[in-house]
């Protein structure tokens, strides 16, 4: 997956916004004001793309055991976040599934009124 496709896929989710809250390098995607994906643009330019994604703790452990390209989240809560190196053993389909999983976890953690407001966006 290239940066453009990653960017488009994240923005295709209902109610997603993009930000640079930390610096000019770290692209952050949020739903309902909460982060579900973040990635270094410099790493993409250097040919070492990776993304941090929220993950169910048990599933996170399974993924880390199964894929060398998936590790505990860099600079994140290691229990709830994974760093996924892109274009190694993680194909586009798996990456999209992991982005979807992260989005869903964050979306479901939002207050019901916020969820409803996001669902009603056109």
């Amino acid at each position: 997956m290239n940066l453009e496709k990653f960017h488009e896929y994240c923005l295709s989710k209902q109610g997603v916004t993009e930000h640079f809250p930390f610096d000019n390098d770290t692209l952050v995607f949020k739903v309902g004001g909460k982060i579900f994906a973040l990635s270094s643009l410099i790493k993409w330019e250097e040919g070492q793309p990776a993304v941090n994604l929220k993950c169910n703790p048990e599933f996170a452990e399974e993924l880390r055991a199964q894929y060398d390209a998936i590790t505990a989240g860099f600079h994140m809560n290691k229990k709830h976040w994974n760093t996924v190196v892109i274009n190694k053993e993680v194909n586009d389909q798996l990456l999209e599934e992991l982005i979807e999983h992260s989005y869903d976890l964050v979306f479901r953690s939002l207050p019901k009124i916020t969820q409803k407001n996001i669902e009603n966006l056109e």
Side-chain angles (χ1 to χ4, degrees):
M1 182 176 288
N2 63 33
L3 178 58
E4 183 178 337
K5 187 173 178 184
F6 166 71
H7 183 258
E8 288 174 3
Y9 188 77
C10 288
L11 285 179
S12 72
K13 303 291 171 211
Q14 190 79 22
V16 170
T17 56
E18 62 180 308
H19 309 269
F20 287 91
F22 307 115
D23 51 40
N24 292 331
D25 173 48
T26 308
L27 175 60
V28 173
F29 293 96
K30 296 181 178 184
V31 59
K34 293 191 174 190
I35 298 172
F36 74 92
L38 62 153
S39 186
S40 164
L41 297 179
I42 291 172
K43 291 290 187 184
W44 285 89
E45 291 171 3
E46 293 174 345
Q48 302 169 6
V51 59
N52 282 1
L53 298 168
K54 192 153 184 129
C55 193
N56 171 287
E58 294 80 27
F59 186 41
E61 290 294 328
E62 290 174 23
L63 290 167
R64 293 173 198 163
Q66 187 173 0
Y67 299 97
D68 290 335
I70 300 177
T71 58
F74 181 69
H75 286 307
M76 305 296 282
N77 180 319
K78 309 292 188 228
K79 183 177 179 181
H80 296 279
W81 289 85
N82 280 336
T83 296
V84 180
V85 176
I86 301 168
N87 297 336
K88 276 191 148 191
E89 60 188 324
V90 177
N91 62 31
D92 288 4
Q93 180 182 347
L94 177 57
L95 181 58
E96 288 176 1
E97 290 171 9
L98 296 176
I99 292 169
E100 185 77 29
H101 176 71
S102 180
Y103 173 89
D104 288 344
L105 279 176
V106 173
F107 182 81
R108 288 193 314 262
S109 75
L110 298 172
K112 296 294 181 196
I113 188 70
T114 304
Q115 290 180 27
K116 187 171 184 171
N117 289 339
I118 291 169
E119 289 170 342
N120 290 332
L121 292 174
E122 290 186 18

